[in-house]
Amino acid sequence: MKKKILPEINTLGIEISGREEVLVCGCLGICFYSTEEVRLNIRRGELSVCGEELCLRWAGYGKISVAGRIKSLTFC
Amino acid sequence: MGKIYEYLRGSYTVTARAESVCRALNVLMKNNVPFYGVKAEGGGLVGFCLEPDAFRKYVALTAEMTIEDERVTRRGLFAFASGYKMRIGFFIGAVLCAALLAASSFFVWDINVSGQTGLSEKEILKTLEGYGLYIGAYIPNIDTMRLENELVIDTEELSYASINLRGTVAEVVVRERKEKDVENISLPSNLVANCDGQIESIEVRGGMPTVKKGQIVKKGQLLVSGVIDSQAVGYRLVRARGEIYARISRSFTAEVPLVREKKSRTGEKKTRVTIRFFAKKINLFSNNDISFEKYDTIEEEKRLCLFDRVELPVFIIKTTYSEYVTETEKISEEQALSIAEKELAGQTEKTLSEAQILAREERTEINDGILTLYADIDCIADITSEIFIKTDGEK
């Protein structure tokens, strides 16, 4: 079941839910991809998702889903 | 379900250098082209999956881009089928198989009969076959209600029948009629003696006895009359019923030749195999001639089962023709006597099963190579035979 862990992040234009899948709304592009780190372009800079066995899926207009064992989210 | 749908729909997996994939995915995102399953594949390569529509758009959008080490793999049913596109036989076989399966659902695959106690399943199946229900019968033509009625009406032994078609299997449930010993006393009759004898006892339940205990009667003599003369209502006809026991003497003979013909198998056999698919028989042999002068025919029918559970409408019929020759064989007098005794026992058991045996005398004779066993039996037995009185419907 998806659970919002950082609801205040909505103000940044993105929505993150769950620890196994992060749905990033307002994604402008993909900067970098590897199984350990995904860096996504968002309106205010970059969002780095770190973890293990990460994989990506298009989840609708301007949305990207990052799935895997997520360890950290960092705004750069 | 998702994976099955994906397999049926088909998909493309694009693998390329990570940097190129990132650029390609950005282009896809900007144009709202869905992708999924982005995964690193080692060696700096990353793969992602696209639906067939999305792949067409991907090809158009990345036509002018440089995608390093790009490799495209097509997956799914159509990709699998395209591998066999030059194999016409494979497709014809698949289409025929599908057509056969679809067509076979219109025919009866199996008939299960239950509930019978005296009748055999074979007899019921034979009757049903006469009405159009057999393995291979066309299901839309089967009127189960009509069949049930006809089966009960035409089979005296049955009092109830139910036919349920469950898919391609016909379940036939029958109940047999329970015979009740109800005497029809409306038909007038007389009881006459079926042999000579001396009356021992008289038990009359209907009609007027015309003999007395100790009286000697001849064959055909009236024992119990169905015509009753009453002063009040005049003559009336009834059914004569009862048992008249008399002391009688019966003779039985059994003849056994001392030289007889014996079947001797030569060991020569011929086997013919036929496949029955529904009602259609396919011979797996070309020459139907059997060169043996005398032979026994043994037929074995085996039904094919799928995984020992699902019975298919396919039967393998193996017919074996086994040759034999007839030889004359001499038997000893003891052997002949033993055979004659068995035959005589069968005769007496059949005729005198309810008789009280008083005396038995046996003697043997051998004439012209034939052993004859005679048995004279004195016994007390019911000697009545019923003779119906013909009327014009008036009593």
Side-chain angles (χ1 to χ4, degrees):
Chain A
M1 189 176 168
K2 288 181 180 177
K3 187 181 171 188
K4 289 181 182 176
I5 54 167
L6 291 167
E8 64 272 21
I9 287 174
N10 279 331
T11 57
L12 298 170
I14 64 168
E15 182 184 315
I16 303 164
S17 55
R19 284 191 181 276
E20 290 174 351
E21 186 178 12
V22 176
L23 180 70
V24 181
C25 305
C27 177
L28 303 175
I30 302 161
C31 291
F32 174 77
Y33 169 78
S34 74
T35 48
E36 285 82 32
E37 189 187 7
V38 175
R39 283 207 299 275
L40 302 171
N41 276 334
I42 55 173
R43 254 174 279 170
R44 296 192 181 184
E46 251 182 38
L47 174 67
S48 169
V49 182
C50 291
E52 290 172 14
E53 295 177 20
L54 299 177
C55 66
L56 295 176
R57 174 174 66 87
W58 184 81
Y61 180 72
K63 292 177 186 176
I64 280 282
S65 163
V66 183
R69 284 197 288 279
I70 296 162
K71 289 180 179 172
S72 67
L73 293 170
T74 314
F75 293 96
C76 316
Chain B
M1 279 302 286
K3 286 197 172 182
I4 294 171
Y5 171 69
E6 190 183 334
Y7 179 77
L8 294 174
R9 181 201 63 199
S11 66
Y12 290 84
T13 303
V14 180
T15 310
R17 287 265 155 213
E19 301 78 32
S20 301
V21 169
C22 283
R23 277 189 284 122
L25 293 182
N26 285 334
V27 172
L28 292 178
M29 275 188 71
K30 279 175 190 164
N31 290 281
N32 288 324
V33 178
F35 58 88
Y36 60 97
V38 181
K39 270 186 183 175
E41 294 191 350
L45 294 172
V46 174
F48 61 97
C49 299
L50 294 165
E51 292 174 7
D53 279 349
F55 179 74
R56 277 190 284 278
K57 288 176 186 170
Y58 164 81
V59 172
L61 291 168
T62 58
E64 292 178 3
M65 287 172 66
T66 309
I67 309 289
E68 291 173 62
D69 296 341
E70 188 190 33
R71 199 175 72 241
V72 177
T73 314
R74 193 181 176 197
R75 296 178 200 278
L77 179 67
F78 288 100
F80 172 77
S82 65
Y84 294 92
K85 63 185 175 186
M86 296 308 287
R87 301 184 187 178
I88 300 299
F90 177 82
F91 275 102
I92 291 171
V95 169
L96 275 177
C97 182
L100 206 62
L101 275 175
S104 65
S105 63
F106 289 103
F107 297 94
V108 175
W109 279 45
D110 194 12
I111 303 172
N112 294 330
V113 182
S114 61
Q116 77 278 17
T117 51
L119 283 170
S120 70
E121 187 179 337
K122 212 170 179 180
E123 284 176 296
I124 295 169
L125 289 177
K126 200 174 176 184
T127 312
L128 286 171
E129 193 178 339
Y131 297 124
L133 179 59
Y134 49 87
I135 291 175
Y138 186 54
I139 290 174
N141 283 350
I142 297 171
D143 182 352
T144 52
M145 283 184 66
R146 181 184 61 82
L147 271 174
E148 286 165 2
N149 290 333
E150 286 183 341
L151 186 63
V152 173
I153 290 167
D154 286 8
T155 314
E156 280 185 10
E157 292 87 350
L158 295 182
S159 62
Y160 167 82
S162 165
I163 298 167
N164 301 304
L165 284 166
R166 298 185 197 285
T168 55
V169 178
E171 303 276 354
V172 181
V173 181
V174 294
R175 291 286 178 272
E176 286 180 22
R177 197 183 300 279
K178 286 178 183 169
E179 288 295 334
K180 287 185 180 172
D181 192 16
V182 179
E183 275 187 308
N184 183 0
I185 57 170
S186 61
L187 298 169
S189 66
N190 291 321
L191 293 183
V192 298
N194 57 26
C195 63
D196 301 346
Q198 186 179 18
I199 306 294
E200 279 286 324
S201 68
I202 301 167
E203 294 169 21
V204 177
R205 297 191 302 280
M208 186 70 75
T210 59
V211 289
K212 288 179 182 172
K213 187 181 172 185
Q215 187 179 334
I216 290 168
V217 293
K218 290 277 180 190
K219 186 180 177 181
Q221 186 176 336
L222 183 68
L223 301 175
V224 181
S225 172
V227 183
I228 296 176
D229 183 14
S230 162
Q231 286 189 340
V233 293
Y235 287 101
R236 66 190 172 91
L237 299 174
V238 295
R239 182 167 186 181
R241 289 171 297 140
E243 287 85 39
I244 309 286
Y245 288 93
R247 187 184 286 264
I248 57 171
S249 183
R250 286 273 171 92
S251 296
F252 299 92
T253 54
E255 290 182 345
V256 178
L258 295 171
V259 178
R260 64 179 182 181
E261 284 196 336
K262 186 191 167 190
K263 261 188 189 180
S264 178
R265 298 201 184 277
T266 61
E268 289 290 317
K269 284 182 182 177
K270 279 186 181 174
T271 306
R272 300 275 187 267
V273 179
T274 306
I275 289 178
R276 182 154 67 87
F277 179 66
F278 288 116
K280 178 79 179 167
K281 280 187 176 180
I282 304 154
N283 292 333
L284 299 185
F285 52 89
S286 53
N287 185 8
N288 200 23
D289 293 336
I290 306 296
S291 55
F292 304 145
E293 190 184 348
K294 291 176 181 175
Y295 55 88
D296 283 329
T297 308
I298 303 151
E299 196 173 282
E300 289 175 73
E301 191 174 278
K302 193 180 169 188
R303 187 167 194 170
L304 284 189
C305 280
L306 206 61
F307 313 119
D308 287 336
R309 291 181 75 87
V310 184
E311 290 189 325
L312 299 175
V314 183
F315 299 82
I316 295 174
I317 303 164
K318 190 176 162 189
T319 312
T320 308
Y321 302 94
S322 179
E323 190 188 30
Y324 68 83
V325 288
T326 48
E327 294 170 346
T328 52
E329 181 194 38
K330 279 188 180 178
I331 56 169
S332 66
E333 286 180 21
E334 287 76 23
Q335 280 179 309
L337 187 62
S338 171
I339 294 166
E341 278 172 348
K342 277 182 191 168
E343 194 186 319
L344 211 63
Q347 286 182 34
T348 53
E349 198 175 323
K350 195 177 169 185
T351 318
L352 305 174
S353 59
E354 291 178 8
Q356 183 190 346
I357 309 291
L358 300 172
R360 182 186 180 108
E361 193 184 336
E362 286 184 358
R363 66 181 194 283
T364 53
E365 272 180 16
I366 297 174
N367 278 326
D368 300 330
I370 295 172
L371 183 139
T372 310
L373 178 64
Y374 298 93
D376 296 321
I377 297 170
D378 290 337
C379 60
I380 295 172
D382 180 19
I383 59 164
T384 56
S385 281
E386 191 170 23
I387 307 289
F388 287 97
I389 302 168
K390 286 182 184 173
T391 61
D392 298 330
E394 291 177 12
K395 290 183 185 176

Coordinates of all heavy atoms in Angstrom, one line a residue, chain B residues 212-240:
Chain B
K212 N -59.4 -85.5 -6.6 CA -59.2 -85.7 -5.2 C -57.9 -86.3 -4.9 O -57.2 -86.9 -5.7 CB -60.4 -86.6 -4.7 CG -61.7 -85.9 -4.7 CD -62.8 -86.9 -4.2 CE -64.2 -86.3 -4.3 NZ -65.2 -87.3 -4.0
K213 N -57.5 -86.2 -3.6 CA -56.2 -86.7 -3.2 C -56.2 -88.3 -3.4 O -57.2 -88.9 -3.1 CB -56.0 -86.4 -1.7 CG -54.6 -86.8 -1.2 CD -54.5 -86.5 0.3 CE -53.1 -87.1 0.8 NZ -53.0 -86.9 2.2
G214 N -55.1 -88.8 -3.9 CA -55.0 -90.2 -4.1 C -55.5 -90.6 -5.5 O -55.2 -91.7 -6.0
Q215 N -56.2 -89.7 -6.2 CA -56.7 -90.1 -7.6 C -55.5 -90.1 -8.6 O -54.6 -89.3 -8.5 CB -57.7 -89.0 -8.0 CG -58.4 -89.3 -9.2 CD -59.5 -88.2 -9.6 OE1 -59.9 -87.5 -8.7 NE2 -59.8 -88.1 -10.8
I216 N -55.7 -91.0 -9.5 CA -54.7 -91.1 -10.6 C -55.1 -90.3 -11.8 O -56.3 -90.4 -12.2 CB -54.4 -92.6 -11.0 CG1 -53.7 -93.3 -9.9 CG2 -53.6 -92.7 -12.3 CD1 -53.7 -94.8 -10.0
V217 N -54.3 -89.4 -12.3 CA -54.7 -88.5 -13.4 C -53.8 -88.7 -14.6 O -52.6 -89.2 -14.4 CB -54.6 -87.0 -12.9 CG1 -55.6 -86.7 -11.9 CG2 -53.2 -86.6 -12.5
K218 N -54.3 -88.4 -15.7 CA -53.6 -88.6 -17.0 C -53.1 -87.2 -17.5 O -53.7 -86.2 -17.1 CB -54.5 -89.2 -18.1 CG -54.8 -90.6 -17.8 CD -53.7 -91.5 -18.3 CE -54.0 -93.0 -18.1 NZ -52.8 -93.8 -18.4
K219 N -52.2 -87.2 -18.3 CA -51.7 -86.0 -18.9 C -52.8 -85.2 -19.7 O -53.5 -85.9 -20.4 CB -50.5 -86.2 -19.8 CG -49.9 -85.0 -20.3 CD -48.7 -85.3 -21.3 CE -48.1 -84.0 -21.8 NZ -47.0 -84.3 -22.7
G220 N -53.1 -84.0 -19.4 CA -54.1 -83.2 -20.1 C -55.4 -83.2 -19.3 O -56.4 -82.5 -19.7
Q221 N -55.5 -84.0 -18.3 CA -56.8 -84.1 -17.5 C -57.0 -82.8 -16.8 O -56.1 -82.2 -16.2 CB -56.7 -85.3 -16.6 CG -58.1 -85.5 -15.8 CD -58.0 -86.8 -15.0 OE1 -57.2 -87.7 -15.2 NE2 -58.9 -86.8 -14.0
L222 N -58.3 -82.4 -16.7 CA -58.6 -81.1 -16.0 C -58.5 -81.3 -14.5 O -59.0 -82.3 -13.9 CB -60.1 -80.8 -16.3 CG -60.6 -79.5 -15.7 CD1 -59.9 -78.2 -16.3 CD2 -62.1 -79.3 -15.8
L223 N -57.7 -80.4 -13.8 CA -57.5 -80.5 -12.4 C -58.3 -79.5 -11.6 O -58.9 -79.8 -10.6 CB -56.0 -80.3 -12.1 CG -55.0 -81.3 -12.8 CD1 -53.6 -80.9 -12.5 CD2 -55.2 -82.7 -12.3
V224 N -58.2 -78.3 -12.1 CA -59.0 -77.2 -11.5 C -59.7 -76.5 -12.6 O -59.1 -76.0 -13.6 CB -58.1 -76.2 -10.7 CG1 -58.9 -75.1 -10.0 CG2 -57.2 -76.9 -9.7
S225 N -61.1 -76.4 -12.4 CA -61.9 -75.7 -13.5 C -62.1 -74.3 -13.2 O -62.3 -73.8 -12.1 CB -63.2 -76.4 -13.6 OG -64.1 -75.7 -14.4
G226 N -62.0 -73.5 -14.2 CA -62.2 -72.0 -14.1 C -63.7 -71.7 -14.4 O -64.0 -70.5 -14.3
V227 N -64.5 -72.7 -14.6 CA -65.9 -72.4 -14.8 C -66.7 -72.8 -13.5 O -66.6 -74.0 -13.1 CB -66.5 -73.3 -16.0 CG1 -67.9 -73.0 -16.3 CG2 -65.6 -73.0 -17.2
I228 N -67.3 -71.9 -12.9 CA -68.0 -72.1 -11.6 C -69.5 -72.0 -11.9 O -69.9 -71.0 -12.4 CB -67.5 -71.2 -10.5 CG1 -66.0 -71.5 -10.3 CG2 -68.3 -71.3 -9.3 CD1 -65.3 -70.5 -9.3
D229 N -70.2 -73.1 -11.5 CA -71.6 -73.0 -11.7 C -72.2 -72.6 -10.3 O -72.0 -73.3 -9.3 CB -72.1 -74.5 -12.1 CG -73.6 -74.5 -12.4 OD1 -74.1 -73.4 -12.5 OD2 -74.1 -75.6 -12.4
S230 N -73.0 -71.6 -10.4 CA -73.6 -71.1 -9.2 C -75.1 -71.0 -9.4 O -75.5 -70.5 -10.4 CB -73.0 -69.7 -8.8 OG -73.9 -69.0 -7.9
Q231 N -75.9 -71.4 -8.5 CA -77.3 -71.4 -8.6 C -77.8 -70.0 -8.5 O -78.9 -69.7 -9.1 CB -78.0 -72.3 -7.5 CG -77.8 -73.7 -7.8 CD -78.6 -74.6 -6.8 OE1 -79.0 -74.1 -5.7 NE2 -78.8 -75.8 -7.2
A232 N -77.1 -69.2 -7.8 CA -77.6 -67.8 -7.7 C -77.3 -66.9 -8.9 O -78.2 -66.2 -9.4 CB -76.9 -67.1 -6.5
V233 N -76.1 -67.0 -9.5 CA -75.8 -66.1 -10.6 C -75.5 -66.9 -11.9 O -75.1 -66.4 -13.0 CB -74.5 -65.3 -10.3 CG1 -74.9 -64.2 -9.2 CG2 -73.3 -66.1 -10.0
G234 N -75.6 -68.2 -11.9 CA -75.4 -69.1 -13.0 C -73.9 -69.3 -13.2 O -73.1 -69.3 -12.3
Y235 N -73.5 -69.6 -14.5 CA -72.1 -69.9 -14.8 C -71.2 -68.6 -14.7 O -71.7 -67.5 -15.2 CB -71.9 -70.5 -16.1 CG -72.4 -71.9 -16.2 CD1 -73.6 -72.2 -16.8 CD2 -71.6 -72.9 -15.7 CE1 -74.1 -73.5 -16.8 CE2 -72.0 -74.2 -15.8 CZ -73.3 -74.5 -16.3 OH -73.7 -75.8 -16.4
R236 N -70.1 -68.7 -14.1 CA -69.1 -67.6 -14.2 C -67.7 -68.1 -14.4 O -67.4 -69.2 -14.0 CB -69.2 -66.6 -13.0 CG -68.8 -67.2 -11.7 CD -69.2 -66.3 -10.6 NE -68.9 -66.9 -9.3 CZ -67.8 -66.8 -8.6 NH1 -66.8 -66.1 -9.1 NH2 -67.6 -67.4 -7.5
L237 N -66.9 -67.3 -15.1 CA -65.6 -67.8 -15.4 C -64.6 -67.1 -14.5 O -64.7 -65.9 -14.3 CB -65.2 -67.4 -16.9 CG -66.1 -68.1 -17.9 CD1 -65.7 -67.5 -19.3 CD2 -65.9 -69.6 -17.9
V238 N -63.7 -67.9 -13.9 CA -62.6 -67.3 -13.0 C -61.3 -67.8 -13.5 O -61.2 -68.8 -14.3 CB -62.8 -67.7 -11.5 CG1 -64.1 -67.1 -11.0 CG2 -62.8 -69.2 -11.4
R239 N -60.3 -67.3 -12.9 CA -58.9 -67.8 -13.2 C -58.6 -68.9 -12.2 O -58.6 -68.6 -11.0 CB -57.9 -66.7 -13.1 CG -56.5 -67.2 -13.5 CD -55.5 -66.1 -13.7 NE -54.3 -66.6 -14.2 CZ -53.2 -65.9 -14.4 NH1 -53.3 -64.6 -14.3 NH2 -52.1 -66.5 -14.8
A240 N -58.3 -70.1 -12.7 CA -58.0 -71.2 -11.8 C -56.5 -71.0 -11.3 O -55.6 -70.8 -12.1 CB -58.1 -72.5 -12.5

